[in-house]
Amino acid sequence: MKTYDMSGLTMLVVDTNAFMREVLREMLDGLGVGRIVTARSLENAWDRLSEDTRIDVVLTELDLEQSDGVKLIHMIRSNKDQRVRMLPLLVLSSDTRIPRIMESRDAGATEFLAKPISADSIYKRLVQIIEKPRRFVRVGDQYFGPDRRRQMRDFIGDDRRDDPALPAPAGA
């Protein structure tokens, strides 16, 4: 696996649990991430996203204080600011029930990682985001986010995922 220099990245970590925020901070620091911003709630995360134009990746828990991480994903994916709307979203959650995973995926999460997590598992997901970026698609008013299909197969018919208004993924 290729090694990446992550010193130029800023990551927002959103988790209600202060201990978990610190663990994630230490892991990301160990991976060489240049700047780590933390938030304990949806409102706190939204303030950070609104104020800080340098955030490159969001790592969020699904179970947030007085709210839901899925709501944060919806807020990000529906934002008018393209910088915010296109951010990679890595969900880190101990709630691994299939309906919750599908709910976060259907809201526009880029990747999902089940807790307990390790620095290695986070690094592998970040590498996947870098090396295999998924193009963003819009399906009417129902969905905007990374293409949920991981396998690209030949098919006959109109490609309803193509939207010339959306930017091509990095590296394409």
Side-chain angles (χ1 to χ4, degrees):
M1 180 184 304
K2 185 175 179 180
T3 304
Y4 287 93
D5 176 6
M6 297 195 184
S7 62
L9 294 178
T10 297
M11 297 194 188
L12 171 61
V13 174
V14 186
D15 199 302
T16 301
N17 185 297
F19 177 73
M20 192 65 203
R21 284 193 309 272
E22 190 55 34
V23 167
L24 288 166
R25 176 188 292 280
E26 291 295 323
M27 284 183 184
L28 293 172
D29 188 54
L31 293 175
V33 173
R35 191 163 157 262
I36 301 140
V37 179
T38 62
R40 69 180 182 285
S41 65
L42 182 143
E43 293 78 18
N44 197 226
W46 196 248
D47 289 343
R48 300 286 191 276
L49 283 168
S50 300
E51 297 165 359
D52 194 332
T53 60
R54 297 177 296 165
I55 293 173
D56 300 298
V57 179
V58 176
L59 292 83
T60 186
E61 167 63 62
L62 286 180
D63 297 319
L64 297 177
E65 209 170 85
Q66 302 173 351
S67 191
D68 186 5
V70 172
K71 183 175 180 183
L72 177 61
I73 297 168
H74 279 294
M75 290 171 69
I76 289 171
R77 292 296 180 232
S78 64
N79 194 279
K80 292 177 184 172
D81 182 350
Q82 182 170 317
R83 174 196 61 83
V84 174
R85 188 174 61 241
M86 304 295 283
L87 284 170
L89 290 160
L90 176 54
V91 173
L92 309 172
S93 184
S94 53
D95 189 346
T96 58
R97 295 173 292 153
I98 296 298
R100 284 296 275 170
I101 294 170
M102 291 175 65
E103 185 180 20
S104 66
R105 179 205 66 190
D106 292 346
T110 309
E111 295 291 337
F112 188 97
L113 191 57
K115 289 179 182 176
I117 47 110
S118 66
D120 184 58
S121 62
I122 290 174
Y123 184 76
K124 286 178 180 175
R125 284 298 197 280
L126 293 172
V127 167
Q128 186 160 353
I129 289 169
I130 294 166
E131 292 183 351
K132 298 179 182 178
R134 291 186 282 155
R135 66 182 298 155
F136 275 64
V137 297
R138 181 180 308 282
V139 181
D141 291 333
Q142 296 99 9
Y143 178 77
F144 175 78
D147 191 340
R148 296 175 283 196
R149 296 180 229 184
R150 292 194 182 270
Q151 298 177 4
M152 298 307 289
R153 297 182 181 156
D154 292 334
F155 62 94
I156 299 171
D158 294 332
D159 188 352
R160 298 179 305 169
R161 295 172 291 174
D162 280 341
D163 184 344
L166 298 176

